[in-house]
Amino acid sequence: MNDVILTADYQVEGQEVMTVQDEVFTKYQACDLQNISQNDFENYFKQNTMVKGQNLGYNDTLAEMIYAKSWIARAVAKWLKNAVAKSEAKGKPDLNLLFNYNMPFRAIGKMTRGLIDQDMVIAILRIINGHFWSGSKGYFHNQKRNKARNKADTWYEEGK
């Protein structure tokens, strides 16, 4: 049996990639993330990052509450940041605290096993984004509904 082997030349035009050897890149290579400033980050990735007073979304982390409109959220974020720094200063960081600090809001509903549902997370985001009264109303309304739903779902566990 004779095999037919096909060959062809293929050329693609493109841009030559230049290597970046600036100070920020060397900090990234050395994993020196504590010494990278906000300006370095913005210059390196060529995009603006969060600004104080910007609305936070479902996929933002608890650490980003530092940019929230609500002073309560900023205070909680500052407390979390200080707790993480205190934990790291001991030499043995609290992994649970680090996990929560970097957790997105959408994970709150998933990690609480039904104690907080996704509608309550959206209400929390409303509070964080500066709509305290409507967010609080939504939170407590959804909490009441969630409690009733959880009670109805646990009928089979009563016989334990």
Side-chain angles (χ1 to χ4, degrees), residues 58 105-114 116-118 121:
Y58 205 55
F105 287 101
R106 63 183 154 78
I108 293 173
K110 294 177 183 177
M111 298 303 294
T112 58
R113 296 172 143 191
I116 297 177
D117 68 352
Q118 299 304 321
V121 172

Side-chain angles (χ1 to χ4, degrees), residues 53-67:
Q54 187 171 352
N55 282 342
L56 296 178
Y58 205 55
N59 292 321
D60 291 323
T61 64
L62 297 179
E64 292 175 4
M65 284 194 304
I66 216 120
Y67 305 111

Side-chain angles (χ1 to χ4, degrees), residues 13-27:
E13 291 186 31
Q15 296 176 340
E16 187 174 322
V17 178
M18 298 185 65
T19 58
V20 179
Q21 294 297 329
D22 61 352
E23 184 182 341
V24 177
F25 187 70
T26 56
K27 288 180 184 177

Side-chain angles (χ1 to χ4, degrees), residues 75-86:
V76 169
K78 187 175 181 181
W79 178 83
L80 275 172
K81 186 175 182 180
N82 289 338
V84 167
K86 188 176 176 183

Side-chain angles (χ1 to χ4, degrees), residues 31-88:
C31 295
D32 189 15
L33 302 179
Q34 297 294 334
N35 294 323
I36 296 175
S37 69
Q38 198 72 18
N39 289 336
D40 291 340
F41 184 83
E42 290 175 359
N43 290 336
Y44 186 71
F45 289 104
K46 307 287 189 265
Q47 65 183 10
N48 291 333
T49 55
M50 296 291 287
V51 180
K52 184 177 177 183
Q54 187 171 352
N55 282 342
L56 296 178
Y58 205 55
N59 292 321
D60 291 323
T61 64
L62 297 179
E64 292 175 4
M65 284 194 304
I66 216 120
Y67 305 111
K69 290 180 181 177
S70 169
W71 67 270
I72 298 169
R74 290 193 306 271
V76 169
K78 187 175 181 181
W79 178 83
L80 275 172
K81 186 175 182 180
N82 289 338
V84 167
K86 188 176 176 183
S87 167
E88 288 176 347

